[in-house]
Every structure is written in structure tokens, then in C-alpha cells.
Amino acid sequence: MTLGSTVSGTTPAADFDALIIGAGFSGLYQLYCLRDRLGLSAQVLEAGDGVGGTWYWNRYPGARCDSESHSYCYTFSKELLEEWEWSERYPEQPEIMRYLNHVTDRFDLRRDIRFGTRVTTARFDDAANRWTVETEAGERYSATYLITAVGCLSSTNIPKIPGLEDFKGEWYHTGLWPHGGVDFAGKRVGQIGTGSTGIQAVPVIAETAKHLTVFQRTANYSIPAHNAPLKPEFKRYVKENHPAIRELMHSTANGHPFAIEDRSAHDLTPEQREAVYEAAWAKGGLQFRASFRDLLVDKAANDTAADFLKRKIREIVKDPQTAAKLSDIDHPFATKRPPIDSNYFGTYNRPNVSLVDVRAAPIERITPTGIVTRDGASYDLDVIVFATGFDAMTGPLLSIDITGRDGQSLKDTWSAGPRTYLGLQVAGFPNLFTVTGPGSPSVLCNMPVAIEQHVEWITDCIAHLRASGVKRIEASADAADQWVDEVNAAANATLLPLANHSWYLGANVPGKPRVFMPYAGGMARYRGICNDVAAKGYEGFVLSR
Ligand code: NA7
């Protein structure tokens, strides 16, 4: 690192080859690759006071990963794979934090991460061919390459409900949970939101709250996780088979360690299909979606899974009215991110839990003492939990004021929705790389698999640029236009757009352009496309010397 004055301004900028924003799964691995593999000077800037990214902030009750632990980890280091041992089928937030801290220390990454440093602006200087980044505290950094590793789900979505500022009790968003935890004992708690987060939080909050009222806008499917401690034989299997497990994850559309069955739901009789679903339900987890190859592309096939799952809800939940509200699901199965749970529906059988349908009677306002809905009903509360999700994918990028070539801002460039080439670069923003950016499989894939692929691609690309004396790489506008068409076509070939209120489409944030953001063509296919682009001399990118 050097103190330079390549860019005009009051504070001299600290200069690096590369700046990485974020110290989650992506930022940590990107630092390792650029510093230890390519020998570049690299600095990570991280808003939090520790590593972990999404997992640093999401400490809400029941926070747990929906990918199985043996697949929710880096695969780049054989030694790391052999020495780390997960304790449960699905890792809980504290265990993921222990893992990421272990990785940080094992690879001596901490010394190149600056914590408590929130990036506010990033500006490309055309003449100097460098990015300058400013932080909330007014520090300045500059680098040839800027890599955003800001996560897809890190900008919280707190709905603007009138009256929140007058609420006399406590309120929290699950994605900004207090580090010291929240004591619900003896309290009347209201939780807004029944996505993956809300479905994890309900059973745990209900254990100690005096009363929990859940405000549900959209009823949701959920599959039991059947989480449990891992058996010694499974741990042994993972250690002995990690190359094969990795190969399997790389061969599938979603990056999970199981294949999608190569059969149609229509190939079986109703009785046979029921047996398949019962077995998948008993096994639990996201693998349910892999029971048939056509669940996400054929509405009639999907209906068979949806009917099964709605029946399960009605079997579990004893009160018929509550069961009816919970199973009145308006979108095909898995067209919104399918949650997995630990006794979510069963929790509604507790006497201290009740469900309010805010689709029928929306929340009108928050009062000093609780929530009032449009039908005039009021709910007295001591605590409100917002499990209301995120301004996903574009939110974390647009929360930084990013200005590219010729003074164009990312906000303006994306005013009608995100436009990227491969989710990796934006036309007009040279030498800026977006790890798991919009237009890449990202959230439709087991995240560490998507992250490793992006980080490795970016690393190889930068190595190529340096070896061949290329000073600047930028996605061409044509290639980006074609890729946006490809992303739309991939989504439209599935049932995913039928969930017209999904955050995949940006529909959960008022005023956000409705564009299907992740690439739905599958991770394995996407990996092939990226490899091909690189093999053809970075086709679709403009390289200048
Ligand atoms: P999600 O999946 O976006 O869920 C948010 C929930 O909050 C969902 O049920 C929303 O209903 C509800 N919500 C949002 N705003 C409101 C208002 N104004 N009123 C009532 N209800 C509201 O976020 P999660 O945190 O659960 O999960 C995000 C991802 O994290 C997840 O998909 C995994 O990938 C991990 P809606 O469905 O929009 O009607």
C-alpha cells in the first residue's frame, strides 16, 4: 500500500492494486485469491466490526442456513475441507461465523481487512484509470480494480408503515439484529413477514414470548428441515468424498449436493407420486424440489407438489381457520425461494401463537402500543419483529454512489432495472467486478458455489489482464444487452415469474423496477458460458492496453 495523490481531493488516497468491498464469503475468498495467488496489494473494506457479511448481521432467533452444511463451505482448499467439521445438517448462524473466522485466521486475511468502514462512494477516474472510494468517515482509497463483494441480501427492507416512529416498544429487523440478542420472555411480540427468515424465527420466538402474533401477507410453502447433529459416519463420508461432492455440486443447476431426478411428475401414477413426495417430505430440505425435473417448468407438474404441501399444512395445523390461511398459497411451489423449517406450522398449535391475515386486512398503521389493521382490529405489542426481507441484489450496490466512465452513475444506468454482462460487469464501469451481481445465478444457487465460481473467474481475468498488459476491461454495451435478453429468456422458460410478488423480481420494494434479477438458466450452464467467454479472449468485453 502507498499513500498517493493520483486523484484530486483533500485527503490523499491509500493506493492498492485492488479494493474489495465486503468481508463475507465472497470478499474473504477474493482477498485470498488476489493477494496470495496473484501477489497483488489488496484491501477489503467492511462496514461491520467482524467478518461474515450476511451472517454477521443476521443474528435473529433461529437463523440457520438452508443449504446443507457439507455444501455450505469453500472447496478451494483440500486442507480446509479436511480440518473443518460441521456439527449439524444445517449450520446455525454462530457456527457459520466460527467457520468464517477460522478461514480468516487460517489464511491470515484479517490484516488486510479494514473493519467499521462503510463505503459511501466509488468513482472511476478516466485519466488515471483508477477507482477512488470514499468511506463514511471520509477516508479515501484508490485502486486499479474495484470488486464489490457486498452480498445479495444485505440491504434491509423496512416497510414504511405510518406511526413506527411513535411506537413505544422495541422493534428490530431480522437482518440488523442486536448482537446481545433480544429477550422475549413475558412479552407480546408481533412479527411481520413469513419468508424464509420469518419461518425460521416463529418457532424460536414462540418458545419464550408471552404471545406471538404473526402478520402474514403471502402464505408460503415450507418443507421440514429435519435438522439434526451429523452422525460420525456422515462426517467420515464427507471427508473421504469431498472431490466427488464438489463435482456433484458443480454439475447441477442449483449447486446443491444432490441431483435433480430425471423424471417427469407425469411419468408416475398419483399413488406413486404421493410416495415420492412422502419420502422427500420425510427426508426434508430443499431436495424436495428435485423430486421431478419439471416442477419448475410445468404448471401441472408443479400443482402436484403444491397440492401435497398444502395438504400437509392442513394436516399439521389443528385450528381449521388458521390452517386455511396458512395453506391459501397464491403462487406455484418454489417460484418464491422455498423456505425450510423446524416445526413452523406445528407452532401455530401453541396457545400463545396467532396468525393475522394482512392480505385480507393490510396493516394500516403502527400506534404507540401496537399495530392496527384496515378492518379496525388492533394488536397490543411490546416488540415488533420485521422479518420483511431485503432490497435484494441491486440494493447493496445502489446504496453506494458508484460513478463510472464519463460521469455516469450506476443509479441512472440501472433506473429501469439492472443491466450487466454475466452479472460480472456493467458497461460504462471499467475494471469494476460485481461478485454474484444481478444477472448471475447467485441466489438461485447454493451461494458458496456461485461465489467460488465468480471469484475464480475474476481472479483469472485479472491475471490475464496483467500478463497481457491490458489496462482496462469493460463489458460492451451490446454484450450486456444480449445478456439481459438471455436472463429474461431463462426466467421466462420457467414458472418463476408467476410469483409476481417475489423479491427475485424486485416486487417486494415499492417503486423498484420489476425485472427478474438472477440468471435462471442453471449454475452448471452458466459456468460453461463464463468459461467459454474467457477461452475466446473475453468475448463481449472490451480490453484496452
Ligand atoms: P422475504 O423472503 O422477502 O420475506 C419477507 C416477508 O415479509 C414476506 O412474507 C413478505 O410478504 C413480508 N412483508 C414485506 N413487507 C411487508 C409489509 N409491508 N407488510 C406485510 N408483510 C410484508 O425475506 P426473508 O428475509 O424471509 O428471506 C430472504 C432470503 O434470505 C431468503 O429468500 C433466503 O434466500 C435467505 P410478501 O411475500 O412480500 O407478500
Side-chain angles (χ1 to χ4, degrees):
M1 188 265 271
T2 56
L3 282 181
S5 55
T6 46
V7 183
S8 62
T10 45
T11 323
D15 294 342
F16 296 90
D17 294 323
L19 284 171
I20 300 158
I21 308 175
F25 259 98
S26 333
L28 293 174
Y29 186 37
Q30 190 67 76
L31 171 61
Y32 171 76
C33 286
L34 294 181
R35 188 192 71 182
D36 295 3
R37 288 199 187 141
L38 302 192
L40 304 192
S41 66
Q43 173 81 60
V44 176
L45 304 173
E46 165 57 54
D49 289 327
V51 299
T54 301
W55 295 105
Y56 176 88
W57 303 102
N58 279 266
R59 296 168 188 249
Y60 60 86
R64 192 182 283 288
C65 184
D66 289 346
S67 294
E68 296 192 45
S69 54
H70 66 293
S71 68
Y72 199 73
C73 51
Y74 297 110
T75 62
F76 69 87
S77 161
K78 182 170 169 293
E79 295 74 23
L80 178 62
L81 279 165
E82 280 165 7
E83 73 202 13
W84 184 261
E85 199 166 277
W86 295 103
S87 66
E88 292 181 286
R89 179 174 176 189
Y90 297 97
E92 227 183 345
Q93 183 270 347
E95 192 169 21
I96 300 172
M97 286 295 285
R98 282 197 294 282
Y99 173 71
L100 289 172
N101 275 287
H102 168 74
V103 171
T104 304
D105 293 330
R106 192 191 188 291
F107 295 102
D108 192 19
L109 301 175
R110 216 172 286 275
R111 66 185 157 93
D112 290 310
I113 307 171
R114 197 162 160 84
F115 294 106
T117 303
R118 184 176 292 280
V119 172
T120 50
T121 64
R123 203 162 288 272
F124 184 69
D125 181 329
D126 217 349
N129 198 42
R130 288 183 80 74
W131 281 93
T132 298
V133 154
E134 270 187 33
T135 71
E136 212 167 41
E139 296 162 327
R140 300 170 77 244
Y141 297 82
S142 94
T144 308
Y145 311 106
L146 177 63
I147 297 128
T148 60
V150 291
C152 297
L153 299 163
S154 51
S155 267
T156 51
N157 171 40
I158 301 174
K160 291 186 180 46
I161 303 173
L164 178 59
E165 60 286 356
D166 301 326
F167 183 57
K168 294 270 185 290
E170 309 153 56
W171 66 269
Y172 307 97
H173 187 282
T174 49
L176 286 173
W177 203 256
H179 285 205
V182 176
D183 183 8
F184 294 106
K187 293 186 179 147
R188 296 159 305 173
V189 182
Q191 179 183 303
I192 305 175
T194 52
S196 298
T197 300
I199 281 176
Q200 287 185 337
V202 160
V204 186
I205 295 176
E207 278 170 20
T208 55
K210 182 174 172 200
H211 192 88
L212 171 62
T213 307
V214 181
F215 296 86
Q216 170 190 278
R217 186 164 68 182
T218 305
N220 219 336
Y221 302 94
S222 186
I223 315 286
H226 297 312
N227 183 49
L230 291 176
K231 297 205 169 79
E233 53 273 26
F234 186 77
K235 291 181 183 177
R236 207 168 38 247
Y237 155 79
V238 170
K239 287 222 159 110
E240 287 168 4
N241 292 281
H242 56 79
I245 294 169
R246 182 174 192 263
E247 206 178 302
L248 177 58
M249 294 195 295
H250 281 197
S251 70
T252 69
N254 301 109
H256 286 292
F258 48 78
I260 296 168
E261 295 291 341
D262 188 20
R263 63 184 170 202
S264 158
H266 304 299
D267 289 345
L268 305 187
T269 65
E271 294 71 27
Q272 289 168 329
R273 218 166 32 222
E274 186 78 0
V276 166
Y277 288 140
E278 282 292 356
W281 178 268
K283 185 160 195 199
L286 293 173
Q287 195 164 354
F288 189 95
R289 190 177 46 183
S291 299
F292 297 103
R293 67 163 186 263
D294 46 359
L295 292 185
L296 261 187
V297 291
D298 176 337
K299 175 70 168 59
N302 190 292
D303 284 347
T304 65
D307 289 347
F308 176 88
L309 293 170
K310 290 176 186 175
R311 252 188 292 130
K312 283 288 182 197
I313 298 170
R314 291 192 287 267
E315 275 167 35
I316 296 168
V317 180
K318 298 208 171 77
D319 172 55
Q321 278 187 345
T322 307
K325 286 181 206 162
L326 287 166
S327 59
D328 184 15
I329 307 174
D330 64 359
H331 51 280
F333 167 61
T335 52
K336 293 181 97 163
R337 160 72 151 70
I340 66 171
D341 70 273
S342 297
N343 195 32
Y344 173 63
F345 295 116
T347 298
Y348 288 95
N349 294 330
R350 293 177 66 115
N352 68 331
V353 177
S354 48
L355 182 72
V356 174
D357 178 359
V358 293
R359 171 69 54 86
I363 296 174
E364 194 160 77
R365 66 179 187 281
I366 295 175
T367 67
T369 54
I371 288 180
V372 174
T373 49
R374 197 169 292 168
D375 55 359
S378 72
Y379 303 87
D380 287 340
L381 302 169
D382 303 305
V383 185
I384 300 175
V385 173
F386 287 92
T388 45
F390 301 88
D391 180 356
M393 307 202 69
T394 51
L397 289 164
L398 294 176
S399 72
I400 304 170
D401 181 8
I402 301 180
T403 309
R405 191 166 45 72
D406 306 325
Q408 61 181 306
S409 78
L410 190 62
K411 261 190 200 80
D412 290 343
T413 309
W414 284 3
S415 59
R419 302 185 75 76
T420 71
Y421 181 35
L422 301 168
L424 279 160
Q425 271 215 330
V426 185
F429 295 76
N431 292 350
L432 169 71
F433 296 93
T434 50
V435 182
T436 63
S440 73
S442 56
V443 292
L444 297 180
C445 180
N446 177 25
M447 284 307 291
V449 173
I451 286 168
E452 280 196 331
Q453 184 266 342
H454 258 199
V455 167
E456 286 164 7
W457 192 95
I458 292 166
T459 306
D460 290 347
C461 174
I462 292 177
H464 170 80
L465 303 181
R466 293 176 81 83
S468 47
V470 173
K471 300 234 160 13
R472 191 184 281 205
I473 182 167
E474 181 186 329
S476 82
D478 282 352
D481 287 349
Q482 279 170 29
W483 184 247
V484 169
D485 291 347
E486 178 98 21
V487 171
N488 285 329
N492 290 334
T494 71
L495 303 175
L496 288 164
L498 294 185
N500 61 4
H501 39 54
S502 109
W503 59 258
Y504 295 151
L505 270 166
N508 62 327
V509 177
K512 187 166 172 169
R514 293 208 175 192
V515 172
F516 197 88
M517 295 181 287
Y519 172 65
M523 188 62 213
R525 183 174 142 71
Y526 174 80
R527 184 187 298 277
I529 295 171
C530 291
N531 288 347
D532 208 38
V533 162
K536 289 182 179 152
Y538 294 91
E539 191 178 48
F541 292 93
V542 180
L543 279 62
S544 1
R545 288 203 156 71

